Amino acid sequence: MSKHDLLIIGAGLAGLRAAVEGVRQGLNVAVITKVHPVRSHSNAAQGGINAALTDRGDDWRDHAFSTIKGSDYLADQDAVEIMCKEAGDALIELEHMGVIFSRDDEGKLGTRAFGGQKKARTFFVGAITGSAMLHVLYEQSVKYNLSIYEEWFVTKLVKVDGKCVGVIAIDMKTGKVESISAKSIVIATGGAGRVFEPSTNAIICTGDGLSLALRAGAELMDTEMIQYHPTTLAGNGILLSEAARGEGAYLINSENERFMERYAPDYMELASRDVVSRSEQTEIDEGRGINGCVLLDMRHLGKIFIEERLGYLQEVATEFMGIDLSEKPIPIKPGMHYIMGGIKTDYNGATSVPGLYAAGECANVSVHGANRLGANSLLDTVVFGRRSAVNSVEWVKNNEFIEIPDEILISEKKRFQSLFDQPSSGIRPGKLRLEMAESMTKGIGVWRDEKSINNAWEKVKNIRENYNNIFLDDKGKVYNTDLIGALELDFMIDVAESICAGAKARKESRGAHFRTDLKDRDDKNWLKHTLVEKNDEGFMVKTSDVKITDWEPEERVY
Ligand SMILES: Cc1cc2nc3c(=O)[nH]c(=O)nc-3n(C[C@H](O)[C@H](O)[C@H](O)COP(=O)(O)OP(=O)(O)OC[C@H]3O[C@@H](n4cnc5c(N)ncnc54)[C@H](O)[C@@H]3O)c2cc1C
């Protein structure tokens, strides 16, 4: 059995940043990932990363206030303070590692405007920021000679005496099932976008880590907070980055009106994402849309500017819609993009399970609260990825390795075998996955109410029952994606139920959670986090207080 001081599940930005830090701290570190590291979803991030640099006349407090207002006052303000204070150093460190951030006319690091903030503080690499960052962190992992279990799929976190002591994982190349023991574990498995269809997320974003943590007894926090991004392509859900609006694109309706004037006169297209998505949906619902969409108009920016600053968007528009953005507006609509909720951690990345940490999109620290600002997620991954590794050092020093009992490995193997042994009359997992994801979008959408939430939840429960009748065509060992797909679906069902449980519990509207049956924010009763736990009776919801430091909740207008 392999052994490591620190095992990180996930090789996106959060995982790799944690890994580099672990090595710097002198730990024996390994990363385990179901895809090659640079295929992680971080690679798809386009728009940029926020930081308030003092020598630019910017102030972390202003960034913190925008983040807290953006969160509809649900973010924990002590955590937001840490993120915004550490942002400058995190950004400069990335630049020194080799991220080729775009520069302005004077040769300094350039910025662009992003939603929910008055100051342009988003640093970027054209429209491929995530890819540039991820490749540089991967280079660092090579420099530090990191052990990477590449194309290994984690199926279970192992707990002994209440502590997290390792994982069970499948080597996808050979089908071998093994246990890996570790003194501490960081979950950095990314988002759960594919619990919804369509989604801007990569097909691998199935929320595995949320379910792994839940099954190990950790709590998920504010799971109802699902971000619908204002500009996604209808049908396939592909994202057109907020960078477009940051660089000056307009949103118009079928009457050629810049309708944001009615909803957010001060911030216009750059109001926070939940506000813009609801405004678009209102236009569409009230008959001022075009085939269920509104239009993103960039014609006034000119071809040269678009191709220089937003080249990737032009590529997507041409390839998928046959549209040249300098000549024609492009139809877009709100689409599922990000999950603010996740594994509850403190601002050092620790979960409630000893030895278990989490960072990145799968974690909820909570810096995004009820609505994340664009370009704050890349920042979250590097700041809290690093912190989770730093804070695991103490635990590693004070704890011994614990052997993973054989019976746990045997029982996992039996579980997989039972999937292979199912009768061929069964249902394909892919069919269930699509049915579930479509009903989640229907029930837990831009708008939701008691009935729609109940309907989605009923459907998920029904999918869980049907899961017992799935059938796998592929019985082989090598790259059995049929098996992996089935195991992902098993995780996704847990995530979907947790989202429904959170949404049903929160009896108000706040940020991305807009209930048409309870339209107001209710600070008196609901300035609170929801905490979902899974036990023998099902998915239980508790609440906990939101940490307020300097910013008392106010009415949120843009
Ligand atoms: C299209 C798009 C554009 C975006 N643009 C921006 C932007 O401009 N700015 C911004 O701030 N944010 C942006 N975001 C959000 C941001 O990119 C993500 O939140 C962030 O990159 C997530 O990083 P991560 O390290 O947490 O996870 P990921 O990068 O998703 O990595 C997850 C890792 O976990 C591994 N993994 C998962 N499950 C398992 C398992 N069972 N076993 C083994 N390994 C597993 C995967 O292999 C992968 O390596 C964007 C998101 C999308 C989808």
Side-chain angles (χ1 to χ4, degrees), residues 4-7 22 25-29 164 182-186 355 357 388-401:
H4 305 279
D5 292 335
L6 173 60
L7 179 68
Q25 301 279 338
L27 304 183
N28 162 347
V29 184
C164 194
K183 288 187 189 171
S184 67
I185 291 182
V186 177
Y357 300 78
S388 62
V390 170
N391 288 291
S392 66
V393 173
E394 209 40 44
W395 178 264
V396 169
K397 277 192 197 145
N398 295 325
N399 284 275
E400 296 303 320
F401 282 109

Side-chain angles (χ1 to χ4, degrees), residues 452-490:
S452 78
I453 298 166
N454 283 340
N455 286 347
W457 202 348
E458 276 313 306
K459 181 72 191 180
V460 181
K461 286 181 183 160
N462 170 263
I463 299 282
R464 189 184 287 282
E465 272 169 35
N466 279 328
Y467 188 85
N468 297 323
N469 306 319
I470 58 168
F471 168 71
L472 304 182
D473 272 317
D474 184 355
K475 314 281 185 204
K477 294 268 181 217
V478 178
Y479 283 111
N480 191 331
T481 49
D482 218 10
L483 172 66
I484 299 297
L487 296 173
E488 283 176 341
L489 175 61
D490 185 35

Side-chain angles (χ1 to χ4, degrees), residues 23 32 35 58 131 225 312 345 388 420 460-461 483 519:
V23 179
I32 186 160
V35 295
D58 202 352
S131 175
M225 298 305 176
Y312 179 69
T345 71
S388 62
F420 289 127
V460 181
K461 286 181 183 160
L483 172 66
K519 289 186 178 155

Side-chain angles (χ1 to χ4, degrees), residues 10-11 13-14 33-34 40-42 45 47-48 154 189-190 208 361 375 377-378:
L13 285 169
T33 168
K34 64 181 176 179
S40 304
H41 186 64
S42 292
V154 175
T189 49
D208 307 0
E361 190 168 337
S377 172
L378 293 186

Side-chain angles (χ1 to χ4, degrees), residues 192-200 226-228 232 235 237 281 333-337 433-449 452-453 455-457 459-460 496 499-500:
R194 287 291 161 177
V195 170
F196 294 77
E197 282 294 336
S199 162
T200 65
I226 301 294
Q227 180 160 80
Y228 283 80
T232 69
Q281 199 57 53
K333 62 187 281 193
M336 192 286 171
H337 179 56
R433 176 170 163 162
L434 187 63
E435 265 177 39
M436 181 176 79
E438 285 178 347
S439 49
M440 286 297 284
T441 306
K442 219 165 158 197
I444 321 276
V446 174
W447 318 122
R448 52 196 73 170
D449 61 16
S452 78
I453 298 166
N455 286 347
W457 202 348
K459 181 72 191 180
V460 181
I499 293 171
C500 295

Side-chain angles (χ1 to χ4, degrees), residues 230-418:
T231 55
T232 69
L233 296 185
N236 58 21
I238 293 178
L239 178 78
L240 287 180
S241 169
E242 188 165 306
R245 282 170 291 135
E247 300 283 7
Y250 301 151
L251 288 169
I252 53 178
N253 61 16
S254 61
E255 289 158 26
N256 213 20
E257 271 178 308
R258 273 182 80 188
F259 56 85
M260 284 309 297
E261 210 149 38
R262 270 200 292 283
Y263 305 95
D266 204 13
Y267 283 66
M268 294 292 286
E269 282 84 358
L270 288 179
S272 66
R273 288 180 175 173
D274 58 328
V275 171
V276 181
S277 286
R278 275 195 294 279
S279 310
E280 289 178 356
Q281 199 57 53
T282 307
E283 291 296 303
I284 297 165
D285 294 351
E286 291 180 359
R288 291 181 297 278
I290 300 145
N291 297 330
C293 292
V294 289
L295 299 172
L296 181 70
D297 189 357
M298 297 164 70
R299 287 172 295 182
H300 56 289
L301 299 178
K303 199 174 176 88
I304 295 176
F305 183 88
I306 293 174
E307 282 175 1
E308 256 177 37
R309 303 271 285 200
L310 302 163
Y312 179 69
L313 275 72
Q314 177 77 311
E315 251 175 63
V316 168
T318 324
E319 205 156 303
F320 290 92
M321 306 290 287
I323 289 178
D324 177 342
L325 293 170
S326 66
E327 286 177 3
K328 236 175 111 178
I330 185 162
I332 47 87
K333 62 187 281 193
M336 192 286 171
H337 179 56
Y338 184 86
I339 168 159
M340 273 75 72
I343 305 160
K344 178 184 163 38
T345 71
D346 64 12
Y347 53 63
N348 294 323
T351 70
S352 55
V353 179
L356 185 64
Y357 300 78
E361 190 168 337
C362 66
N364 188 350
V365 180
S366 86
V367 286
H368 310 302
N371 170 70
R372 169 175 74 85
L373 292 188
N376 262 356
S377 172
L378 293 186
L379 178 60
D380 166 9
T381 63
V382 287
V383 167
F384 295 103
R386 188 187 76 79
R387 291 180 75 90
S388 62
V390 170
N391 288 291
S392 66
V393 173
E394 209 40 44
W395 178 264
V396 169
K397 277 192 197 145
N398 295 325
N399 284 275
E400 296 303 320
F401 282 109
I402 297 178
E403 291 290 318
I404 295 180
D406 275 346
E407 54 276 19
I408 298 185
L409 183 64
I410 294 166
S411 119
E412 274 299 85
K413 286 183 180 169
K414 273 197 191 141
R415 180 162 78 99
F416 309 148
Q417 191 55 46
S418 71

